[in-house]
């Protein structure tokens, strides 16, 4: 498929070619039903089976214990920024936030609309270049939960471990690194992730919620914004994003066939190393944005020391078949998002392009 680009988009992002081809094959006639998955009732046996199987695959791949529910919701991770405090920030308590960059700040902004918040760790003084140390977190009295962002998509930083928050539920936005590494789910009260980075297309948001947190939303919280609604109805309270869930199903099967999340983690580390190694050996021509210990294998952020060369880098890269290398408009610079579905070959080609660009302009 030589007409496929080297896709480093931050989100929506690359999907496995095998998955796209499989969807293409099943597009007009899903499983012999004589119609596409998009054209059938979400109350049909076929869709119910798909919904159940996709939940089961999530459970299997992430080793999710029985006392958690897996939900498929809409509204993106951005809706979870509000749903989390609407459901969990109750009884006049305080929500503790870890401030690590653009997405953590947006999550905090929503929580502030709903109740009292406290910032319990921040890397703002470091310009969000590193993840703060969470080993000795001091939480406010009666904290409702601790919220963290496992991977900051825009800054290119990632937590390498997760804190023990004791009896206070840990909530994590994992939109840009879910399914990229094994997790100890039992450390978390709630995990959420928009699908369009590592799980599938946009339109569905996965929520993994511990059963005891799924009840207890105040009565005034609207039906669609309550976790208990979706738990009770197995994510079928209203019409779900059926095609997106179907695509997530195919992506999860692809991950399973690759050997699961441990194998994916290893592959991701090798892919990211190709690009970080070129940054590190460039003698200062390229400068990584994140401190080495917080580097994300998902979003590789860097600058060219001579920033005036950055537009040329983007322009030349596009001519060579690369897309998505311009940094987020809020921080500038360059960014390569090397999610699960980005092939090793694309990362190798990018490292080679970077070396070549450096030789020509260094
Ligand atoms: C992309 C992203 C979001 C926003 O997701 P939407 O689905 O667009 O609402 C939130 N958090 C992180 C970490 C992200 O990468």
């Amino acid at each position: 498929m030589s007409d496929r680009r080297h896709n480093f988009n931050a989100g929506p992002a690359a999907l496995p070619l095998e998955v796209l081809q499989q969807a293409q094959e099943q597009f007009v006639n899903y499983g012999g039903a004589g119609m596409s998955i998009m054209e059938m009732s979400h109350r049909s046996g076929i869709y119910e089976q798909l919904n159940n199987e996709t939940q089961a695959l999530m459970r299997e791949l992430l080793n999710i214990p029985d006392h958690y529910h897996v939900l498929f919701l809409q509204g993106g991770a951005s809706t979870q920024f509000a749903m989390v405090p609407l459901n969990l920030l109750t009884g006049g308590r305080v929500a503790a936030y870890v401030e690590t960059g653009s997405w953590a700040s947006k999550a905090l902004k929503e929580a502030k609309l709903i109740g009292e918040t406290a910032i319990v760790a921040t890397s703002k003084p470091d310009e969000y270049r590193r993840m703060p140390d969470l080993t000795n977190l001091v939480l406010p009295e009666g904290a409702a939960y601790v919220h963290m962002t496992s991977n900051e998509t825009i800054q290119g930083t990632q937590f390498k471990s997760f804190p023990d928050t004791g009896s206070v539920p840990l909530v994590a936005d994992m939109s840009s690194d879910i399914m990229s590494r094994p997790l100890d789910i039992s450390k978390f009260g709630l995990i959420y992730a928009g699908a369009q980075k590592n799980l599938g297309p946009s339109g569905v948001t996965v929520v993994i919620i511990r059963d005891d947190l799924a009840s207890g939303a105040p009565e005034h919280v609207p039906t669609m914004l309550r976790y208990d609604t979706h738990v009770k109805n197995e994510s079928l309270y209203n019409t779900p994003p059926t095609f997106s869930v179907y695509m997530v199903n195919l992506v999860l099967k692809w991950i399973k066939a690759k050997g699961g999340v441990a194998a994916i983690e290893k592959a991701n580390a090798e892919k990211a190393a190709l690009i970080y190694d070129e940054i590190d050996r460039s003698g200062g021509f390229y400068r990584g944005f994140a401190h080495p210990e917080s580097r994300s294998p998902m979003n590789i952020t860097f600058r060219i020391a001579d920033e005036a060369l950055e537009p040329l880098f983007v322009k030349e890269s596009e001519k060579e078949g690369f897309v998505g290398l311009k940094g987020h408009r809020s921080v500038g610079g360059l960014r390569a998002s090397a999610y699960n579905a980005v092939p090793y070959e694309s990362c190798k080609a990018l490292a080679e392009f970077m070396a070549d660009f450096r030789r020509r302009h260094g």
Side-chain angles (χ1 to χ4, degrees), residues 76-78 81 103 149 151 153 173 175-176 196-197:
S78 300
F81 294 166
W103 290 116
T149 310
N151 186 82
T153 322
D173 175 2
S175 294
S176 50
Q196 69 272 20
K197 279 80 184 224

CSV table of all heavy atoms in Angstrom, one decimal, residues 76-78 81 103 149 151 153 173 175-176 196-197, ligand 1:
chain,number,residue,atom,x,y,z
A,76,GLY,N,-16.6,12.3,24.0
A,76,GLY,CA,-15.1,12.5,24.1
A,76,GLY,C,-14.6,12.5,25.6
A,76,GLY,O,-15.4,12.6,26.5
A,77,ALA,N,-13.3,12.6,25.7
A,77,ALA,CA,-12.7,12.7,27.0
A,77,ALA,C,-13.1,14.0,27.6
A,77,ALA,O,-13.2,14.2,28.8
A,77,ALA,CB,-11.2,12.6,26.9
A,78,SER,N,-13.4,15.0,26.8
A,78,SER,CA,-13.8,16.3,27.3
A,78,SER,C,-15.1,16.3,28.1
A,78,SER,O,-15.3,17.1,29.0
A,78,SER,CB,-14.0,17.3,26.1
A,78,SER,OG,-12.7,17.4,25.4
A,81,PHE,N,-14.3,15.1,31.5
A,81,PHE,CA,-13.7,16.2,32.4
A,81,PHE,C,-14.8,16.7,33.4
A,81,PHE,O,-14.6,17.1,34.5
A,81,PHE,CB,-13.2,17.4,31.6
A,81,PHE,CG,-12.0,17.1,30.8
A,81,PHE,CD1,-11.6,18.0,29.8
A,81,PHE,CD2,-11.2,15.9,31.0
A,81,PHE,CE1,-10.5,17.7,29.0
A,81,PHE,CE2,-10.1,15.7,30.2
A,81,PHE,CZ,-9.7,16.6,29.2
A,103,TRP,N,-3.9,19.1,28.9
A,103,TRP,CA,-5.2,18.3,29.1
A,103,TRP,C,-5.5,18.2,30.6
A,103,TRP,O,-6.7,18.4,30.9
A,103,TRP,CB,-5.1,16.9,28.5
A,103,TRP,CG,-5.1,16.9,27.0
A,103,TRP,CD1,-4.1,16.5,26.2
A,103,TRP,CD2,-6.2,17.4,26.2
A,103,TRP,NE1,-4.5,16.8,24.9
A,103,TRP,CE2,-5.7,17.3,24.8
A,103,TRP,CE3,-7.4,17.9,26.4
A,103,TRP,CZ2,-6.6,17.6,23.8
A,103,TRP,CZ3,-8.3,18.3,25.4
A,103,TRP,CH2,-7.8,18.2,24.1
A,149,THR,N,-3.4,12.8,34.6
A,149,THR,CA,-3.4,12.6,33.1
A,149,THR,C,-2.1,11.8,32.8
A,149,THR,O,-1.0,12.2,33.0
A,149,THR,CB,-3.3,14.0,32.4
A,149,THR,OG1,-4.3,14.8,32.9
A,149,THR,CG2,-3.4,13.8,30.9
A,151,ASN,N,-0.7,10.6,30.2
A,151,ASN,CA,0.2,11.0,29.1
A,151,ASN,C,-0.3,12.3,28.6
A,151,ASN,O,-1.5,12.5,28.2
A,151,ASN,CB,0.1,9.9,28.0
A,151,ASN,CG,1.1,10.2,26.9
A,151,ASN,OD1,2.2,9.8,27.0
A,151,ASN,ND2,0.6,10.8,25.8
A,153,THR,N,-0.5,14.6,25.8
A,153,THR,CA,-0.4,14.5,24.4
A,153,THR,C,0.3,15.7,23.7
A,153,THR,O,0.9,15.5,22.7
A,153,THR,CB,-1.9,14.4,23.8
A,153,THR,OG1,-2.6,13.6,24.7
A,153,THR,CG2,-1.9,13.8,22.5
A,173,ASP,N,-7.0,10.2,33.2
A,173,ASP,CA,-7.3,10.4,31.7
A,173,ASP,C,-6.2,9.7,31.0
A,173,ASP,O,-5.0,10.1,31.0
A,173,ASP,CB,-7.3,11.9,31.5
A,173,ASP,CG,-7.4,12.2,30.0
A,173,ASP,OD1,-7.6,11.3,29.1
A,173,ASP,OD2,-7.4,13.4,29.6
A,175,SER,N,-6.4,9.0,27.6
A,175,SER,CA,-6.8,9.1,26.2
A,175,SER,C,-5.6,8.8,25.2
A,175,SER,O,-5.8,8.2,24.2
A,175,SER,CB,-7.3,10.5,25.9
A,175,SER,OG,-8.5,10.7,26.6
A,176,SER,N,-4.4,9.2,25.6
A,176,SER,CA,-3.4,9.1,24.6
A,176,SER,C,-2.3,8.0,24.9
A,176,SER,O,-1.3,7.9,24.2
A,176,SER,CB,-2.6,10.4,24.4
A,176,SER,OG,-2.2,11.0,25.6
A,196,GLN,N,-9.8,8.0,19.9
A,196,GLN,CA,-9.2,8.4,18.6
A,196,GLN,C,-7.7,8.5,18.6
A,196,GLN,O,-7.1,8.9,17.6
A,196,GLN,CB,-9.8,9.7,18.1
A,196,GLN,CG,-9.5,10.9,18.9
A,196,GLN,CD,-10.5,11.2,20.0
A,196,GLN,OE1,-11.2,10.3,20.4
A,196,GLN,NE2,-10.6,12.4,20.5
A,197,LYS,N,-7.0,8.1,19.7
A,197,LYS,CA,-5.5,8.0,19.7
A,197,LYS,C,-5.1,6.6,19.5
A,197,LYS,O,-4.3,6.3,18.6
A,197,LYS,CB,-4.9,8.7,20.9
A,197,LYS,CG,-4.8,10.2,20.9
A,197,LYS,CD,-6.1,10.9,21.2
A,197,LYS,CE,-6.0,12.4,21.1
A,197,LYS,NZ,-6.6,13.1,22.2
B,1,LIG,C1,-7.2,14.1,22.9
B,1,LIG,C2,-7.2,14.2,24.4
B,1,LIG,C3,-8.4,14.7,25.1
B,1,LIG,C4,-9.6,15.2,24.4
B,1,LIG,O1,-10.3,14.2,23.8
B,1,LIG,P1,-11.7,14.5,23.1
B,1,LIG,O2,-12.2,13.1,22.7
B,1,LIG,O3,-11.4,15.4,21.9
B,1,LIG,O4,-12.6,15.2,24.1
B,1,LIG,C5,-8.3,14.6,26.5
B,1,LIG,N1,-7.2,14.2,27.1
B,1,LIG,C6,-6.1,13.7,26.5
B,1,LIG,C7,-5.0,13.3,27.2
B,1,LIG,C8,-6.1,13.7,25.1
B,1,LIG,O5,-5.0,13.3,24.4
